[in-house]
């Protein structure tokens, strides 16, 4: 009976060792940079979001198949005011982040209606567009899947 107890706890220890090894080897390293500072600035982020909502602007982000053969995809961004009129923003930048893997994030300056994009990997991506129109900052996000 004592041997069964020792074998049982030995088995449990071996399974835990395998699980810990797998967890350490497959850790992607995805963490938030400067988490403490971002937490302190949370109220400012909420106020900025409320100010943006009062404008009534709507940003549209689309991933399209590119007309160019070199890059298979293009990003399309359109900004409208609360009446549906198209706005012409300046300094528009799209930031692409991979929520499941670090080290692949990149940004591109948006030019014209469609901007060619080359993704380093297929899968899930978050797109955040930051732009300015007449001195007012606007930001919108969208989650896309690259196949």
């Amino acid at each position: 009976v004592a041997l069964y107890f020792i074998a049982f706890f030995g088995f449990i220890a071996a399974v835990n060792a395998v699980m810990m090894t797998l967890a350490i080897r497959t850790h992607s390293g995805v963490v938030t940079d400067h988490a403490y500072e971002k937490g302190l600035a949370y109220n400012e982020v909420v106020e900025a979001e409320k100010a943006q909502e009062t404008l009534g602007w709507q940003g549209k982000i689309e991933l399209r198949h590119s007309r160019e053969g070199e890059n298979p995809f293009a990003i399309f961004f359109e900004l409208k005011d609360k009446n549906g009129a198209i706005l012409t923003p300046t300094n528009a930048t799209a930031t692409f982040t991979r929520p499941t893997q670090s080290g692949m994030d990149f940004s591109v300056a948006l030019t014209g209606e469609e901007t060619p994009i080359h993704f380093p990997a297929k899968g899930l991506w978050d797109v955040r567009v930051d732009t300015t129109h007449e001195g007012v900052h606007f930001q919108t996000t969208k989650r896309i899947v690259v196949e």
Side-chain angles (χ1 to χ4, degrees):
V1 173
L3 190 57
Y4 287 124
F5 278 116
I6 293 171
F8 173 75
F9 286 111
F11 176 76
I12 296 296
V15 169
N16 285 340
V18 168
M19 297 301 262
M20 286 188 297
T21 303
L22 288 175
I24 290 169
R25 286 186 181 171
T26 61
H27 177 62
S28 65
V30 177
V31 294
T32 300
D33 293 331
H34 310 291
Y36 181 72
E37 291 82 5
K38 287 182 180 180
L40 291 177
Y42 181 71
N43 288 337
E44 294 172 12
V45 171
V46 171
E47 291 300 320
E49 185 176 337
K50 286 180 185 177
Q52 182 172 308
E53 286 178 8
T54 59
L55 292 173
W57 293 358
Q58 297 177 0
K60 178 182 177 183
I61 301 172
E62 284 184 16
L63 181 68
R64 297 178 175 175
H65 289 283
S66 177
R67 296 179 204 139
E68 299 179 18
E70 205 172 289
N71 293 322
F73 297 103
I75 192 77
F76 170 79
F77 175 70
E78 182 178 68
L79 182 61
K80 294 183 179 181
D81 67 5
K82 62 182 174 185
N83 299 322
I86 296 176
L87 303 174
T88 54
T90 57
N91 302 328
T93 303
T95 304
F96 296 85
T97 56
R98 191 146 166 100
T100 58
Q101 192 172 11
S102 64
M104 299 184 113
D105 304 348
F106 64 98
S107 296
V108 294
L110 298 179
T111 57
E113 284 194 17
E114 288 188 358
T115 304
I117 303 292
H118 177 70
F119 290 94
K122 295 180 180 181
L124 189 65
W125 290 86
D126 289 331
V127 183
R128 186 184 79 234
V129 174
D130 289 290
T131 189
T132 305
H133 177 71
E134 296 180 355
V136 179
H137 179 261
F138 180 81
Q139 168 181 298
T140 187
T141 60
K142 182 175 184 179
R143 183 162 276 186
I144 60 172
V145 177
V146 176
E147 297 177 352

